Structure formats: C-alpha cells, structure tokens
Amino acid sequence: MNIPDSRPRKGSHTQALRALTVLLALLMLAAALSGCAGVSVKPSPISQRFDALDRSAINSSRPSELTLAFLKQRDLAAQWESDPEGLIARLDEKYHAAPGPGTLFALVELSHLQAKSLASEPDKAARYDLSCALYAYLFLFDPRVAATMDYLRPNTRLAAEFHNRSLSRYLLRARAAGIRFQKGMSLPLAAGSLLLEERRSGLPFAPEEISDMHLAFEFAVSGLDVTYSLPGLGVPLILVRDGSARDDRPEDRFLPKVRQVVAATLFLRIDPEPGMGPGRESGPDSGGGAVYRCSLEFYDPMRASTVQVGSTNVPLESDTTTPLAWMAAHAKPQGGIKGLMDPEAMKAAQGLYMLQPYQADKIPVVFVHGLISSPMTWLPMINGLMGDPELRERYQFWYFSYPTGNPVFYSASLLRDSLEHVRRTYDPEGRNPAFNNMLIVGHSMGGLLSKAMVQDSGDRLWNLLTNKQPSELNLPQDVRELLNKSFFFKPLPFISEAVFISTPHRGSGMALGTIGSIGRALVTLPLTLAKAGATLLQSIGTPKSGIALEGLPTGIDSLSPKNPMLTTTAAMPVAVPFHSIIGNEDKAGVAGGTDGVVPYWSSHLDGAQTELIVKSGHGAHENPLAIREVRRIMLEHMRKNGEKPQ
C-alpha cells in the first residue's frame, strides 16, 4: 500500500508566506480604502448629544464641531495645538484675501479661546478679546460674508454672544488698566488695529458726567424674582452719575440729589471696510495690518431698543434689572420706621422723584408707598414694568417719598404740591397729551393719598369738624394755607386713571389695637405742624357732636375705622377711571377676608373699572399677578390715549 508523503513539498512554505503577505497587504489596502468601515452608532442620552452640539468656545475649552471640521479639512488642527497665534494670523490673512463665513467664525472662536488662555498676560489677552469682538461683528455685518441676514443663518446668535462677551472682557481689562477711550485712539488687535473715530451718546446726559461705570454682567441679582434682559448686540452697563449739582437743568430737578443710576448699552460700531496700516511690522500701537474705523456709542434702553447698521435694524442687548438692583443695594437706608416716628427728620427726603430724566413724549406713572414703608417697596413692580419694552417705550417711572407719621390728608397735600410743581416745570400751559394722561398707583396708605388727587372734597371734610366757615376763623396765614390744602381739594386735571392696591379706604383695625396705641405714642409730629394744628383747633372751639379733637391725628390715627374723614372720602366719587387690587390671605378671586392688615370691606370700592383679588398678604403690590395686572392696565391706558406723541 502506498502511503502519501505528508511532508511539505519543496517551496510550499515560501508559497504560503507569499500568500499570507498578499492577504495582509490586501487587508491593509482595504482598510485604507474604506476608512469608514469601523464607523458605528450607539444609543446616547439625548441631553449628552445636545451638550455636544451646543459646545463652543464660549462654554468649553474647545472650538465647536463646525470650527474643528473647518480646521481638519484644511489640515490646520495640528497648528492650532502647536502655534495658535500663528494660526490666527494666518487665518486673518486668508480672510482678507478671500472672505468667507467659515474662516471668520473660526477666527471668532480661536481668538476667544486664545484670550482665555492668556489670562495671566492681560495686555495680550485684551488684543484677542477685541479681535474676537471684531471678527464676530464682521461675521454679522461684512456684506461680503453676511449678504443674507436670515435669522436662522448658522451661528448668527452665537456670533452676537461672542461679540458681547469678548467686548465685555475687553472693557474690564481696559478699566483695570485705567484706559480712557478718547477720539483718535488706536486700539491694538491681534493683527491690525481699531481706530476710535467717534464717541456718540444717546444718553440723557453727557458721558463726562458719569462718575462710575459697571458692567451688568459683573453682578448677580438677588431679592428680585426675575432679571429682565433682552438679547441683542452690545454690552449692558450700570452708569452712576453724581447728581448733587444739576438743579440748573429743568429735566434734572426731580432726579435723586446724591446718586443717579441708569441702565445703558455700549455699542461698538465698526466699519467693515478696513484701511491698511503701514505693515505687519509697524509696531504695537497699530498692531500692523488692517486698520478698522470704529465708534463707541452709548444708548439708553428707556429711549432706544434697536440700532441701525447699514440696512439692518439690530436689537440692542439690554438689562434693566441689574442697574435697578445696584441702585437699591447702594442707596441710603430708607426710613420707613423713622418716617413714621419722626416725620421731621425725613423732611429733606420727601418729594417727587424720577428714575430717569423727564421725557416729554412719555406718560408719567407715579407710585406712592404706604405706611412704615419707602419707595424701595416698589422695586419688584417697577422691575417687572420696566422690563417690558412696550411699556418703557411709552411710560416714565416716578415715585413719591414721604414720612408716613404725618396725617394722611396733610401728606396728600404734599403730594399734590409736588405734582403741581412738576406740572409748572414741564407743562405750564397744560398742552402735553402725555403729561395729561398721568397714571397714579398707590399701595396701602399711598392709595389714600392717590385717591385724594382725583376727588373733589367740596366742604364735606371741613363740615365734619365745625359749622363755622374758614373765613370766620382768625388764623395766621400759614395755618390758613394748611387748612385749605388739607380739607379742600379738587381732582388734578392731568391724572386720568388710578390704581389702588391694598388700600384701607375705610380704615384698618390695626389702628385701634395695641399696635396702633404703641405706634401712636411713638409718633412725634413736626413742631410747626403740631403748633399749626393746635392753633386751628383752638380757633374752631367746640367741635361738632361726636367728634373728639385732642390734637392733629398721626398717620396711624388717620387709618382708624372711626376716622370720619376716611368714611367720608370712601363715599365720595372718584373723578377718573380706577382699578382695585386686593389681597386675600386665604384664597385668590374670592371677595371677603383680609390681607392681614386691611379687610376686604375696607379695600373694596364700588365703581371700580376692574377689581382683582390675589392670594396675598398686605404686600399685594409685590405679588406677580398684581404686577401683571398693573401691566395690563398700563397697556390699555396707553392704547386708549392713541399713538405716542412726536
């Protein structure tokens, strides 16, 4: 039997090795030719995918996927790791030679990242911050790149964010370095420079009057539920102005006398068409290369919400809440308790004030605070109303400050004097349609003061005291004036609507109890007022039956349900449309109950255009639904009064 030989034949090993080599080569070639053969997908939480898609140089230490793809497609990713400054200079040259959105957006992100990486070298970091702001502006407005401003154009909003944030960081670095921006300055970029040709102001006062400037981005607000900011272009600012010596201008007479705080937006306008500097080697002042002309512009969000760039109407970034909170945090303590106990000590602070300089084309809305309170109590409401662009375009916000220990109708006479003073100052002939549509909003005791502005007392209040006529009394002139202002008044013709919030039209039991007794004992009326009251009461002699006259009533006495002046004015007609907002501690929308201080039977007035009951304690004016209701009333009020005056 023949047994096959199992030993390999000569050359078989060689053939096998050759075959294996060929196979491996083919496999390697296949892998090279089919680079995506190993690609797969696997499930991933949607939040992680969104995070990856949202990643950019703003929220991470890496560029976005679009910029990384741009770099990889041009074999530039390695240079970004090894020579970022060289890469940015190279891309800048590429942009000038062949403008394109991909190149520009890569410059935006890479400049932003480079600025962050140079935090320990502020001068160099500032150049890249300013460069990022420039490239983002060009991405938005260079007609060679941004020919169609579709609101869904990729990265449009992101470019605006890069511009605002980089410009903000640049401003902080400039402030730290003590730089004062002057016309003709050259501001160095990473490649090239900005030439500051103009400083323009849309503020109600000159920029030179600003004593301090902060970025709204520098502060986190607490104590206000909502921060009202609108997205756009520019850097929201807090401007502080020393107002101690500005009574020479009529528009400034009712501004706070010590410190005025206003919101503003800084806008950097850049001409997309650059000139050329003397060259890349021209030195640090110009940065070499392209020279862009620019201007710094300041805008007041109470006066402007957009800016024109070429044919595009661009919204301005704004923040009205943070300046308001900054003002409250840095204001002198308001004397709620002190104003009750020692009204004379608060005399210098009493009066009508404006949050911004007077504007003739805007309707005034006046806020009047309540007992043991101050204008600061209105901050949540003013924040909510000022945060509405439609309202701040049509309204100006005023407030009345007064010591609440004085008798209610004496305080009402001070409010009336202040309003008539502002009328004589700004509209002496009574022809301004905006001024003639004033809206007044009062909380608690402030509602009583406000109501007195829109009622005709006739001789009703005086007749409660005596059957004698005022002319029969032998009184000094100052006492006679006090008598006339407190007991005899007519509706102010320029107030066209009123809002009463938690107002004790018929008094509050608080004024009768232990708290009222203690408070009454602690109140010291101003000496001149006390003397005038004593003279008046002595001249009247025996009062009418049932009326006890032991002296002038304090602010707390004035709120007693036994005060006949309250019950009388509660029954008197209100000369203008009015609205009631009432708190109920237990349930919203249900008539009855109490807000803890004022019961429904006292705060309700027949004849109200609307009555809203919110679930709230006595601070109903801080309730979000009450703020929303005042907003609704203001919107209807301005629409009833037609178009904005020109």
Side-chain angles (χ1 to χ4, degrees), residues 329-379:
H330 291 81
K332 289 185 176 181
Q334 296 289 314
I337 293 290
K338 192 171 183 63
L340 171 73
M341 296 171 56
D342 188 5
E344 182 67 19
M346 298 298 297
K347 184 176 181 180
Q350 72 185 22
L352 187 70
Y353 295 95
M354 302 177 179
L355 285 175
Q356 299 87 25
Y358 177 75
Q359 291 180 259
D361 60 346
K362 290 187 178 181
I363 300 169
V365 53
V366 182
F367 297 94
V368 188
H369 65 79
L371 181 71
I372 322 179
S373 189
S374 76
M376 290 297 175
T377 193
W378 290 109
L379 283 178

Side-chain angles (χ1 to χ4, degrees), residues 385-398:
L385 301 177
M386 285 180 60
D388 186 309
E390 191 172 7
L391 290 182
R392 68 182 186 229
E393 181 184 352
R394 291 297 308 276
Y395 285 95
Q396 51 191 316
F397 299 86
W398 303 354

Side-chain angles (χ1 to χ4, degrees), residues 224-238:
L224 294 173
D225 290 341
V226 181
T227 295
Y228 289 94
S229 58
L230 293 177
L233 211 61
V235 179
L237 302 176
I238 302 167

Side-chain angles (χ1 to χ4, degrees), residues 293-350:
R293 298 185 302 276
C294 70
S295 61
L296 283 178
E297 302 175 1
F298 293 89
Y299 292 94
D300 179 355
M302 302 300 294
R303 299 167 183 251
S305 58
T306 62
V307 64
Q308 197 74 19
V309 179
S311 60
T312 305
N313 198 33
V314 180
L316 288 166
E317 185 99 359
S318 66
D319 180 344
T320 55
T321 296
T322 307
L324 197 64
W326 195 98
M327 177 193 71
H330 291 81
K332 289 185 176 181
Q334 296 289 314
I337 293 290
K338 192 171 183 63
L340 171 73
M341 296 171 56
D342 188 5
E344 182 67 19
M346 298 298 297
K347 184 176 181 180
Q350 72 185 22

Side-chain angles (χ1 to χ4, degrees), residues 471-551:
S471 57
E472 299 176 39
L473 303 180
N474 183 21
L475 297 171
Q477 184 60 30
D478 59 338
V479 177
R480 190 173 297 279
E481 289 180 3
L482 173 65
L483 180 157
N484 288 331
K485 289 181 178 180
S486 300
F487 289 92
F488 301 94
F489 47 82
K490 291 184 176 296
L492 293 175
F494 44 83
I495 298 178
S496 61
E497 201 158 359
V499 181
F500 307 128
I501 305 176
S502 301
T503 299
H505 298 291
R506 299 171 186 85
S508 167
M510 175 200 69
L512 298 175
T514 303
I515 294 177
S517 299
I518 295 173
R520 188 179 309 112
L522 294 175
V523 174
T524 302
L525 291 177
L527 183 60
T528 53
L529 187 59
K531 286 184 175 180
T535 301
L536 174 61
L537 297 178
Q538 185 178 7
S539 298
I540 289 174
T542 304
K544 278 190 171 182
S545 176
I547 302 295
L549 293 177
E550 300 175 358

Side-chain angles (χ1 to χ4, degrees), residues 178-328:
I179 294 174
R180 304 282 295 182
F181 295 104
Q182 302 294 336
K183 182 177 179 179
M185 285 184 69
S186 179
L187 309 175
L189 302 162
S193 62
L194 292 184
L195 177 62
L196 182 56
E197 291 195 327
E198 294 289 345
R199 288 197 321 167
R200 301 189 181 99
S201 175
L203 302 175
F205 46 79
E208 290 74 19
E209 297 177 30
I210 299 170
S211 60
D212 205 359
M213 182 184 80
H214 304 279
L215 275 61
F217 294 138
E218 292 184 80
F219 301 95
V221 174
S222 61
L224 294 173
D225 290 341
V226 181
T227 295
Y228 289 94
S229 58
L230 293 177
L233 211 61
V235 179
L237 302 176
I238 302 167
L239 300 183
V240 183
R241 178 194 185 212
D242 182 3
S244 58
R246 300 302 307 176
D247 276 353
D248 57 314
R249 302 197 323 181
E251 60 269 33
D252 286 352
R253 287 178 188 168
F254 295 90
L255 293 173
K257 303 306 180 193
V258 178
R259 179 190 286 125
Q260 299 154 25
V261 180
V262 297
T265 299
L266 184 144
F267 182 77
L268 177 64
R269 186 184 298 273
I270 304 171
D271 186 346
E273 289 290 339
M276 294 304 294
R280 298 281 177 193
E281 66 286 350
S282 59
D285 289 339
S286 68
V291 178
Y292 292 88
R293 298 185 302 276
C294 70
S295 61
L296 283 178
E297 302 175 1
F298 293 89
Y299 292 94
D300 179 355
M302 302 300 294
R303 299 167 183 251
S305 58
T306 62
V307 64
Q308 197 74 19
V309 179
S311 60
T312 305
N313 198 33
V314 180
L316 288 166
E317 185 99 359
S318 66
D319 180 344
T320 55
T321 296
T322 307
L324 197 64
W326 195 98
M327 177 193 71

